[in-house]
Amino acid sequence: MRFNFTSIKYGGFLLLFLLIGQSFNMAFAQTERKISGNLIDNTKQPIIGASVSVKGTSKVTSTGAEGSFTISAKTGDKILFSFLGYQTKELTVEAASTYQVTISEATASLTDVVVVGYGKSTRKALTSSISTVKGEDLNKGAISDVGQMLQGKVPGLNISRSGDPNRNAAIIMRGASTLREGAQSPLFVIDGVVGADISIIAPDDVASIDVLKDAAAAAIYGNRAANGVIMVTTKKGVSGQTQISYNGYFGIENVSNRYDMMNADQLRTFLAKTNSALTPANDKGANTNWQDEVQRSDAMSQNHNVSLSGGTEKTTYNASVNYFNQQGIIKTSGLDRFIGRIGVEQKAFNDKLKISFNLSNSVSNADLVPYRNTILSQMLTYLPTAPVRNADGSYFDNLVQTSYYNPVSMLENAKENLKTKNILGNLSANLKLPFGFTYDVNLSYQNTQNVYGAFYNSIYTSRYNNVRNTPDPPANPTFVSLVGQNGVAVRNAYQNTNKIIETYLTWNKKFGDHDINAVVGYSYQQSLNNDGFQSTSTNFPVNEVGYNNLSLGNPYAVTDFRVDFNPGVTYQEILLISDFARVNYNYKNKYLLQGSIRRDGSNVFGINETWGYYPSVGAAWNLDQENFMKNQNVVRSLKLRGSYGIAGNSLGFAPLTTKLIYGQVGQFYYNGSPREGAYGAIQNENKDLRWERTATTNLGVDFGLFGGRVGGSVDWYNKKTTDLILTFDVDQNLYPSGQLTANVGKLSNKGIEVVLNGTPVISDNFSWTTAINLARNVNKIITLSDTRFNIDNRLTVTPDGAGQSGASLQILAPGQAIGTFYTFKYAGKDANGVSQYYDAAGNIKTQGLLNRTDYYILGNAQPKALIGWSNNVRYKNFDLSIFMRAVLGNKIMNVTRADLFRPSTAQFTNIPVEVENESAADFNSYKYSSRFLENGSYLRLDNATLGYTFKKGLIPGVNSLRLYTTANNLFVITGYKGIDPEINQGGIAPGVDTNNFYPKTRTFLFGLNVSFN
C-alpha cells in the first residue's frame, strides 16, 4: 500500500493548526475580559445599587445608572447578582461579553421558606400548621409593640390592645389554654433565641414572622409551647455595595371616640326636671369638659430608623438605629425608646463554617399614669360645674364627698416612671460536616433592667390619702393609704438575666427518591429573675424631692410605718435542661412524615415531677405530585396534612411555688394585747405539681389554583389541656396551710381557620392582590375537679361599684367558656320606671334579689369569628394598601356605663346624655345585669396607606425613594355603647369594660422610605 505523502503533509499541518488554535482558544478562555450589561427587574425597570460579584473571588462591584455593570471575568465564571428584596441571580459567562440580566422579586421564594424550631423548611415540606407574614405585610402605624403588627394577620391569633403606648397587646392563640392569669401568651423566639423579649426589636427590623400554631410544630419547644410559638426573623446583611436606608414618619393622634357626658347646662336642666339641685360645694358656675382636660387634643408620635447593610461573599453585616417617641393621649403619659442593633455573619473554611453574631440594645423611658384607671373613671364622673382650679390657682376639690377626686389634680400631682434597659446578644456557629451533617451551637445572653419610681406629693397625702384604686379585671378595687408630710415616694430596681446554650446536630441526606432531615440537640437555660429591691419613704423636708432622694425622708415619724420591701416580688433562679430530636422524611416530595420529642427538666415544679416529655407526629400528602394530577391546569398545588402533638405551659411559676413556706399569719396576745407576730405555714408543699399539658390534633389542606392566582388553606383543630393548675381550699387537719396548688381540671378549644388569597389583576402597570382570613374557636372548661379536689365553679370579677358590694360578673364553670357572664337578668321597668330583674324561679322583682342565687348565665366574651381582610393595589408608581378587621359574636359587660347610670345621684356625679330620659326614682338603674351586657361585634378599617415610589436613578446616589401617608383606625362600625369595643380578650376575665379602658386613637402618619448606594 502506498501512502500519499503530500496528503499526510498537509493533513499534518492542518492538525497542527487545529491544535495550536485550540490551545489559543484555551489560553483565551483563561484570560479575563470585561463583562458588561444591564440588570433589570420583571417590569424592565433598572436595578441600581445591586451587588455584582464573581463567585469564588473577591471581585465585587455594583450596578449604576440604568442598572449598568462592568466586571472582569473569564469564560465559565459565575457572576452573582443580589439585591435586597430580590432573588439572587447566577449568570454563567459564555462567549458573549454583554448581557441583559433579569432579577425577580423575592416575594414568592420568601413565602416558601418557613422558619421552624432549630431549622428551616419549605412550605411544600410542612406537615403542621404554620402561618408566615412577611415584613412588608405586617401592620403599619405608630406601633410600640411588635405583637400589634400581627393583629388580624394570622387566623386563630386573637390580639387586643388599648391606646396606651406603654401596654403590650394581649395575644391569645387558638383560645386560652390555662386558667392562670398572665400565662396565656405565646413563646417568642427571635433569631433562634428562645423566650427573647419582643420589645427589643424595632418594627422596621423585622424581615418575617412565622407563627407555629399546632402542637406538632411547637412541641420541639416543650414545656413553653402550649400557647403557640412566634418565630421572629430580623433583617440580615446582603453581600454587595453598602446600602444605607432611612425609614421615618411623623404622626398625629386624636381620640377616636368619647363618652357623651352632660355639660353643665344639660346637668342643671336634668336636675331641675327631677326636683334636685347641685350642692353649693359643687356648683361653681363652671362648664368643664373633664375629658378635654385629661386628654391631649393632639398627641404626637415619631419614628426614625437608619440601617446600614452590605458585605462581601464571605462577610455580611447589618446595623440599625431606631428612635421611637409616642405621646399618650392621656396627658403626662408617653413612651420614648431607643434601639440599636448590629449583626455580622462570617464564612470561613471554604464556606464550611458560618459564624453569626447579633447584638441588640434597647433603652426605654415610659411615663405612666398614676392610678390610671381611677383617673379614667373620675374624668367621666366629676361634675362639669366644678372648675379645674380655684381663683387663686390651686386645684379645686370637694373633699366632703368620698372617692371623688379632681382627675387633673391627680394627674399632675403625681409622677410614675419606668426606665427599662434590655440587652440581647447571641453568637451562633454552623459547621458543615461530611456525609450531610451540620453542627450548630447557639449562645445567648439577655439582661433586662427595670428602674421604677413613683411620687405622690402633698396634695395626695393631704387630699387623696385613701385613694380607691381600680385595677384591671379580675383584680378587685382596693383602697390605698398615702400618708406623710410632703409626699410619698416609691423606688425599686430589678433585673432579670437569661443565659441559654443550645447545640444540635442536623443530618440531611437524599437516597434516590428518599429525603431525610434529622435533628438531635441539647439546651441549657438559666434565668435569674427579680434581682433587686424596693423601698418607700415619706416625710420629706420639701414637696419637690420626688422619688430620687429617698434618704431625705423620715418615714419612721409616721406611726406604724414600715418600709415596703415589695413582698410580692421574690428572687428566682430557674433552671431548664432539655434534650430534643426531630426526624422529617420525604418520599418523592409526595409523602411527608415528621416526628419529634422533647424532654424538659426544671427546678420549678415538684421534685417528683421534674421531667416532662413532649412528643409530636405529623404526615402530609402532596397530591399535586401524583401522576393523576399532571394533565390539568386548574390545581397548581394541593396538600393534605394531619398532625398530633403535646406541649406544656410553665409560665408564671417560680421555684418556690411547690415549697412549704412559713410566714406571719397574724398576732397573738401577750399581756393582754396583740403585740407579738404569730408565724405559721402560708404555703403548702406539693411534690407532685407538674406542667400543664396541651395536646392538639390538627387536620389541614393547602391549595393553589389557576397557576397560583388563587391559594389558601383550611385547618381544623382540637386542642385539649389537662393537668390545669388551680388553687384549692384544703383541710388544715391534713395540710399545714389552708390552700394547695395542684393539677386538677381540663379545658378544650376546638376551631377552624380559613385563609384565601388571590391576585385578581396583574399587568405591567396595574396589580391587585387580596387576602382574607377567618377563624372560629369554641372554648370550654371540661372540669375543675378530680377524686381529690373539687370546685363546682368559681366566681370572678367583682367591680364593687357603689351600692353593688359583692356583685360578681363572670363564672368559671364546667361546660362553660372562659369569660362566661353570670349576673342578673334584666326584665325591663315597672309602671313606676324602676328596673326589674328575674329571680332564680323566673319571678320578676325590683328588690330582694340575691347575688349568685338569682344569677343567670348570659353569654360569654369569646368571639364567634375573627376576620382579617387585606388589599394591595399598585398602579405604576403608586401603591395603596387597605386592611380591615372584624370581631363577631362576643359579649362585653359595660361596667363603665352601668356605673354611670345613676340619675338619682346626678347632683353628686355626672351622668351620660343618654340617661336624661331615665327616672330619678329608678334605684335599680345601675345594677350589673344583662341590661349592660352588650354585643361587642365590630368592623374596623384598621389601616390605609397610600404611597408613591419615585423612578430609580432620579436623584444621584439615591437608590429608592418612597413617600407615603397612613391612616390608622379610620372608622369602626359597632353597636357597642362604650368608648371602643376592642376590650381585652386575654386573661381569665376577658370582655369586661370596667372603667379601665385607655382611649384608642385615630392616627395620621406621613412617612419617608429612602435608600442610598
Side-chain angles (χ1 to χ4, degrees):
M1 179 179 290
R2 292 181 63 186
F3 291 94
N4 189 324
F5 180 78
T6 303
S7 299
I8 296 175
K9 179 176 69 174
Y10 286 102
F13 279 114
L14 179 60
L15 179 61
L16 180 62
F17 179 78
L18 291 173
L19 290 173
I20 293 172
Q22 182 64 27
S23 299
F24 180 80
N25 288 336
M26 293 174 64
F28 180 79
Q30 298 301 318
T31 302
E32 292 185 350
R33 66 186 193 276
K34 295 294 184 182
I35 305 299
S36 60
N38 295 84
L39 182 67
I40 61 175
D41 62 15
N42 291 327
T43 63
K44 303 189 183 305
Q45 293 293 318
I47 303 294
I48 302 169
S51 169
V52 183
S53 61
V54 179
K55 190 174 183 178
T57 73
S58 59
K59 299 171 187 174
V60 179
T61 185
S62 61
T63 56
E66 302 303 321
S68 62
F69 65 89
T70 301
I71 196 168
S72 296
K74 306 185 298 290
T75 300
D77 279 350
K78 297 183 184 301
I79 301 179
L80 302 177
F81 299 85
S82 60
F83 189 65
L84 187 65
Y86 289 79
Q87 299 181 47
T88 299
K89 180 81 171 185
E90 185 176 288
L91 169 71
T92 301
V93 177
E94 298 176 347
S97 296
T98 304
Y99 298 86
Q100 180 167 288
V101 183
T102 301
I103 190 171
S104 301
E105 290 190 24
T107 304
S109 61
L110 280 177
T111 303
D112 197 43
V113 176
V114 180
V115 178
V116 296
Y118 307 103
K120 294 182 179 180
S121 175
T122 62
R123 186 160 295 280
K124 194 79 173 176
L126 289 177
T127 63
S128 51
S129 179
I130 299 178
S131 295
T132 301
V133 185
K134 301 184 296 297
E136 59 267 28
D137 294 329
L138 293 166
N139 291 323
K140 304 296 189 295
I143 292 175
S144 59
D145 173 23
V146 172
Q148 299 170 16
M149 299 172 69
L150 286 170
Q151 195 170 28
K153 296 294 185 178
V154 178
L157 202 60
N158 189 355
I159 300 178
S160 54
R161 63 187 180 99
S162 71
D164 192 341
N166 294 309
R167 293 215 172 183
N168 294 332
I171 305 177
I172 305 295
M173 190 181 298
R174 289 185 166 182
S177 299
T178 182
L179 295 179
R180 291 181 290 121
E181 191 69 20
Q184 297 177 351
S185 297
L187 172 71
F188 279 91
V189 179
I190 302 176
D191 290 332
V193 180
V194 182
D197 189 342
I198 196 65
S199 66
I200 205 169
I201 299 298
D204 284 314
D205 290 334
V206 176
S208 65
I209 296 179
D210 296 278
V211 181
L212 284 55
K213 294 187 288 185
D214 66 3
I220 196 70
Y221 288 109
N223 70 1
R224 293 166 290 182
N227 300 322
V229 180
I230 297 179
M231 314 282 291
V232 180
T233 302
T234 59
K235 294 176 180 177
K236 302 296 187 293
V238 179
S239 62
Q241 183 176 345
T242 298
Q243 298 286 321
I244 301 176
S245 300
Y246 166 79
N247 297 326
Y249 64 74
F250 288 91
I252 301 174
E253 299 183 53
N254 311 108
V255 173
S256 57
N257 192 28
R258 302 185 181 207
Y259 266 104
D260 189 12
M261 304 299 295
M262 286 189 175
N263 61 30
D265 291 338
Q266 290 171 321
L267 183 62
R268 290 189 181 96
T269 300
F270 175 81
L271 291 174
K273 183 175 66 174
T274 59
N275 297 317
S276 299
L278 294 163
T279 64
N282 282 326
D283 193 354
K284 299 298 182 179
N287 186 17
T288 306
N289 186 320
W290 289 98
Q291 292 179 83
D292 285 345
E293 298 295 334
V294 169
Q295 299 170 359
R296 291 185 171 103
S297 57
D298 294 304
M300 309 301 294
S301 60
Q302 58 179 307
N303 182 78
H304 308 280
N305 196 90
V306 179
S307 63
L308 176 72
S309 66
T312 65
E313 189 179 342
K314 298 291 184 181
T315 306
T316 58
Y317 59 87
N318 179 275
S320 67
V321 175
N322 178 265
Y323 174 73
F324 176 82
N325 178 272
Q326 184 177 16
Q327 290 182 328
I329 203 66
I330 301 296
K331 292 177 180 178
T332 76
S333 67
L335 174 64
D336 189 88
R337 185 178 64 198
F338 173 89
I339 299 176
R341 289 184 64 250
I342 186 168
V344 180
E345 189 174 279
Q346 176 69 48
K347 296 179 181 178
F349 303 123
N350 295 323
D351 296 346
K352 299 291 185 183
L353 176 65
K354 181 173 68 176
I355 298 176
S356 302
F357 174 74
N358 293 281
L359 180 66
S360 301
N361 187 29
S362 71
V363 179
S364 65
N365 184 12
D367 287 322
L368 311 176
V369 181
Y371 295 104
R372 188 196 74 163
N373 295 346
T374 302
I375 290 176
L376 292 174
S377 174
Q378 294 294 317
M379 78 174 183
L380 300 179
T381 58
Y382 215 79
L383 290 170
T385 55
V388 176
R389 293 177 181 269
N390 297 310
D392 60 1
S394 61
Y395 289 100
F396 171 83
D397 265 307
N398 179 358
L399 302 179
V400 176
Q401 291 182 215
T402 59
S403 298
Y404 184 69
Y405 324 110
N406 181 333
V408 176
S409 177
M410 292 189 73
L411 193 67
E412 297 184 0
N413 284 295
K415 179 177 178 58
E416 190 173 351
N417 179 268
L418 176 64
K419 292 181 174 65
T420 303
K421 296 180 179 179
N422 201 334
I423 186 169
L424 172 64
N426 65 292
L427 176 67
S428 62
N430 174 274
L431 179 63
K432 294 181 180 178
L433 300 172
F435 311 111
F437 287 96
T438 59
Y439 181 64
D440 287 84
V441 177
N442 296 328
L443 309 174
S444 66
Y445 174 86
Q446 180 168 332
N447 179 265
T448 302
Q449 300 177 10
N450 296 307
V451 178
Y452 170 87
F455 179 68
Y456 309 91
N457 69 15
S458 59
I459 298 290
Y460 262 81
T461 56
S462 62
R463 301 184 185 182
Y464 316 134
N465 51 20
N466 197 27
V467 177
R468 186 176 188 268
N469 185 33
T470 54
D472 293 341
N476 299 320
T478 58
F479 283 89
V480 180
S481 179
L482 300 170
V483 295
Q485 182 179 346
N486 291 328
V488 174
V490 179
R491 188 76 159 164
N492 64 45
Y494 294 99
Q495 71 170 350
N496 299 331
T497 303
N498 194 26
K499 303 173 186 176
I500 303 177
I501 301 174
E502 293 187 318
T503 176
Y504 54 96
L505 184 69
T506 305
W507 184 48
N508 283 292
K509 194 66 177 178
K510 190 172 181 64
F511 304 93
D513 294 330
H514 308 274
D515 197 346
I516 297 177
N517 172 273
V519 177
V520 60
Y522 168 83
S523 175
Y524 174 88
Q525 180 173 347
Q526 180 194 52
S527 299
L528 303 177
N529 299 329
N530 302 324
D531 183 6
F533 62 91
Q534 171 173 304
S535 185
T536 304
S537 189
T538 187
N539 276 33
F540 295 103
V542 293
N543 199 36
E544 289 77 20
V545 170
Y547 52 70
N548 291 303
N549 291 287
L550 298 186
S551 62
L552 297 179
N554 181 22
Y556 302 104
V558 179
T559 305
D560 296 330
F561 185 93
R562 70 177 183 84
V563 175
D564 181 5
F565 288 105
N566 207 359
V569 177
T570 57
Y571 176 79
Q572 307 170 5
E573 180 177 357
I574 300 175
L575 298 177
L576 178 65
I577 299 174
S578 308
D579 307 301
F580 55 89
R582 180 180 59 223
V583 177
N584 290 291
Y585 171 72
N586 183 331
Y587 177 69
K588 286 187 175 181
N589 206 27
K590 295 181 182 179
Y591 313 114
L592 312 171
L593 295 173
Q594 174 186 301
S596 73
I597 188 168
R598 183 170 180 125
R599 175 177 179 260
D600 282 330
S602 176
N603 66 332
V604 171
F605 286 86
I607 59 174
N608 295 335
E609 296 288 345
T610 302
W611 295 94
Y613 295 84
Y614 305 96
S616 76
V617 293
W621 179 18
N622 284 316
L623 279 79
D624 55 276
Q625 299 298 307
E626 298 290 353
N627 292 330
F628 60 79
M629 295 289 290
K630 298 297 184 184
N631 298 320
Q632 52 85 34
N633 297 317
V634 177
V635 179
R636 180 179 181 180
S637 62
L638 181 62
K639 180 201 287 186
L640 301 179
R641 50 184 167 77
S643 64
Y644 174 83
I646 299 175
N649 189 343
S650 61
L651 285 177
F653 276 90
L656 297 179
T657 303
T658 63
K659 308 302 181 185
L660 177 62
I661 298 177
Y662 288 87
Q664 187 169 351
V665 294
Q667 294 178 319
F668 69 91
Y669 281 85
Y670 180 74
N671 285 338
S673 61
R675 297 176 55 190
E676 303 297 334
Y679 289 83
I682 59 174
Q683 179 177 287
N684 287 314
E685 181 180 28
N686 187 351
K687 297 180 180 180
D688 298 316
L689 189 67
R690 58 187 175 273
W691 288 287
E692 296 175 334
R693 294 164 62 87
T694 298
T696 303
T697 300
N698 195 102
L699 301 176
V701 56
D702 303 321
F703 57 88
L705 307 174
F706 310 114
R709 295 285 290 272
V710 177
S713 64
V714 179
D715 281 271
W716 172 88
Y717 62 88
N718 184 359
K719 187 171 75 165
K720 185 177 180 180
T721 302
T722 57
D723 293 334
L724 288 176
I725 298 174
L726 299 169
T727 301
F728 296 83
D729 293 328
V730 292
D731 188 347
Q732 284 192 264
N733 291 316
L734 302 175
Y735 296 90
S737 183
Q739 291 188 321
L740 177 71
T741 301
N743 295 98
V744 178
K746 298 177 183 178
L747 175 68
S748 78
N749 288 276
K750 297 179 181 179
I752 188 169
E753 299 165 354
V754 179
V755 177
L756 185 64
N757 50 66
T759 307
V761 181
I762 184 169
S763 64
D764 289 342
N765 291 326
F766 182 79
S767 66
W768 169 34
T769 61
T770 184
I772 188 168
N773 68 78
L774 181 147
R776 171 169 169 75
N777 180 78
V778 178
N779 173 272
K780 185 172 69 172
I781 299 171
I782 299 173
T783 182
L784 299 175
S785 306
D786 65 4
T787 57
R788 302 166 299 155
F789 306 104
N790 179 68
I791 298 179
D792 292 330
N793 52 63
R794 182 169 287 177
L795 301 182
T796 60
V797 191
T798 306
D800 198 30
Q804 307 197 83
S805 297
S808 57
L809 302 179
Q810 291 186 343
I811 187 171
L812 298 174
Q816 302 298 328
I818 297 174
T820 293
F821 292 104
Y822 188 57
T823 184
F824 293 119
K825 187 175 180 180
Y826 184 61
K829 297 184 178 182
D830 64 12
N832 298 318
V834 178
S835 295
Q836 307 172 106
Y837 306 90
Y838 294 98
D839 67 7
N843 302 311
I844 297 177
K845 293 182 177 180
T846 59
Q847 299 185 67
L849 296 164
L850 299 176
N851 290 340
R852 185 176 185 128
T853 299
D854 294 314
Y855 283 174
Y856 284 78
I857 289 178
L858 300 169
N860 62 72
Q862 302 286 339
K864 289 183 170 59
L866 303 172
I867 302 174
W869 183 28
S870 60
N871 289 274
N872 294 282
V873 177
R874 179 184 61 83
Y875 175 69
K876 293 186 177 180
N877 290 357
F878 287 95
D879 62 88
L880 173 67
S881 64
I882 297 175
F883 178 65
M884 304 184 76
R885 183 167 51 87
V887 175
L888 304 176
N890 61 306
K891 297 291 187 180
I892 298 174
M893 177 57 76
N894 197 341
V895 173
T896 305
R897 184 165 170 252
D899 287 345
L900 294 172
F901 253 66
R902 297 178 180 273
S904 61
T905 59
Q907 69 268 42
F908 302 114
T909 56
N910 199 13
I911 57 176
V913 173
E914 66 169 318
V915 182
E916 64 182 350
N917 295 319
E918 294 287 316
S919 169
D922 188 357
F923 54 85
N924 276 339
S925 60
Y926 53 81
K927 189 177 290 292
Y928 302 142
S929 68
S930 59
R931 182 183 189 186
F932 300 105
L933 188 61
E934 302 180 28
N935 187 344
S937 300
Y938 66 88
L939 171 66
R940 190 188 305 276
L941 178 53
D942 236 4
N943 180 281
T945 298
L946 176 64
Y948 181 82
T949 303
F950 291 87
K951 184 179 179 180
K952 295 176 181 177
L954 182 65
I955 303 175
V958 176
N959 181 46
S960 64
L961 176 63
R962 177 175 177 265
L963 298 175
Y964 69 92
T965 181
T966 295
N968 293 117
N969 191 26
L970 272 174
F971 66 78
V972 59
I973 300 174
T974 183
Y976 182 62
K977 296 180 180 179
I979 292 180
D980 194 279
E982 192 173 316
I983 303 301
N984 183 16
Q985 287 289 323
I988 63 171
V992 180
D993 182 349
T994 174
N995 301 293
N996 67 325
F997 189 82
Y998 191 108
K1000 289 182 75 70
T1001 59
R1002 183 172 294 113
T1003 309
F1004 297 93
L1005 303 179
F1006 304 92
L1008 167 68
N1009 305 134
V1010 59
S1011 65
F1012 307 89
N1013 53 25

